[in-house]
């Protein structure tokens, strides 16, 4: 598996992706006890799975209360999901943080270029206030790639953030202001600042701090206050080591080692055509030592070219993760 892990970021094309996905499935179906037990309970013989459409997906809730990790590996890092009081948090046991770092850095470069060409300013108070956030880990590493003192995290010191934006603007550096939705809204209310030639990126979620709103409402409001034409979005979760990005309109694109399928909400083993709303299933090949086949609680629809939208969540599912509730 170590050799395959090193080859994941060279994947190009559907044929290569499908071959790698089936190889990882056959490994995880045998060597991941939680996933193997789930497949057995479904009455599926892994030897009969010959297409990615036949691969069974593990419900994301399995990461709450189960150690989803391949035999023979120990966790270098355990990432913990966010959540409100009383919720059971998901735990992602990561055997090789190097794979995660290669994944998010390669993905960032694919969509935005070299991280060192940006000043990354992060407004992630709900994540900084707890331990084990995979998002904080990712952003901190991207900031470190800047090789300078520019960039950093901010809680509620908006004047310092405003000062940092001003200094970066005067230096001619392009800024990425990345934040959880409620914090971006708070900052936009208290500081009158233009980010017209920069990037504002929301990572979703009000985390119980504000009334939920649609992504269209949020983006319209942030765009007006920051005087920018488009708001970017990041889609990720504790249980994944890869991310999807949207540069406009809430339409997300995945890196080559990640794929989104839309399942029929009435038949979880059937998939819907483009434009139909259903449950989001994710194949994340970088989850090679945990589980690469995740049935999420998110609702969405796919579009041409492998892009997709996130439209909400199934009823009675935990409100948590790095995604905007719609």
């Amino acid at each position: 598996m170590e050799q395959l892990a090193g080859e994941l970021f060279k994947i190009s094309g559907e044929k290569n992706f499908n071959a790698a996905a089936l190889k990882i499935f056959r490994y995880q179906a045998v060597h991941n006890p939680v996933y193997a037990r789930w497949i057995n309970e479904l009455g599926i013989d892994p030897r009969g799975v010959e297409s990615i459409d036949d691969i069974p997906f593990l419900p994301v809730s399995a990461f709450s209360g189960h150690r989803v990790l391949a035999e023979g590996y120990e966790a270098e890092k355990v990432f913990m999901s966010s959540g409100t009081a009383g919720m059971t948090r998901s735990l992602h046991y990561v055997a090789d943080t190097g794979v995660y770092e290669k994944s998010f850095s390669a993905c960032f470069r694919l969509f935005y270029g070299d991280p060192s060409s940006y000043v990354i300013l992060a407004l992630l108070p709900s994540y900084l206030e707890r331990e084990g956030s995979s998002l904080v880990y990712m952003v901190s590493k991207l900031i470190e790639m800047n090789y300078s003192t520019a960039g950093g995290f901010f809680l509620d010191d908006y004047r310092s953030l405003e000062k940092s934006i001003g200094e970066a603007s005067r230096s001619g550096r392009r800024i990425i202001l990345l934040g959880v939705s409620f914090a971006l809204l708070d900052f936009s209310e208290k500081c009158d600042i233009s980010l017209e030639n920069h990037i504002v990126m929301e990572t979703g979620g009000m985390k119980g701090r504000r009334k939920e709103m649609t992504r269209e409402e949020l983006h319209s409001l942030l765009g007006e206050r920051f005087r920018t034409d488009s708001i970017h979005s990041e889609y990720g979760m504790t249980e994944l080591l890869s991310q999807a990005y949207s540069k406009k309109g809430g339409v997300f694109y995945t890196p080559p080692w990640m794929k989104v399928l839309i399942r029929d909400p009435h038949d979880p083993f059937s998939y819907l055509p483009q434009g139909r709303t259903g449950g989001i299933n994710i194949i994340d090949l970088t989850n090679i030592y945990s589980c690469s086949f995740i049935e999420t609680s998110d609702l969405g629809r796919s579009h041409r070219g492998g892009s997709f939208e996130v439209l909400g969540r199934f009823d009675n599912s935990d409100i948590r993760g790095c995604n905007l509730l719609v």
Side-chain angles (χ1 to χ4, degrees), residues 247-265:
K247 293 187 176 182
K248 192 172 185 179
V251 177
F252 291 90
Y253 290 85
T254 64
W257 54 88
M258 181 182 182
K259 186 180 182 68
V260 166
L261 303 172
I262 305 298
R263 69 182 183 273
D264 188 330

Side-chain angles (χ1 to χ4, degrees), residues 266-287:
H266 305 294
D267 180 3
F269 298 100
S270 297
Y271 296 99
L272 299 176
Q274 294 176 10
R276 294 275 302 278
T277 300
I280 294 178
N281 281 7
I282 297 176
I283 300 177
D284 181 3
L285 299 184
T286 61
N287 275 23

Side-chain angles (χ1 to χ4, degrees), residues 107-124:
C107 187
F108 187 93
R109 286 186 171 90
L110 179 66
F111 289 103
Y112 294 99
D114 192 335
S116 67
S117 64
Y118 296 91
V119 174
I120 300 175
L121 305 172
L123 264 178
L124 300 170

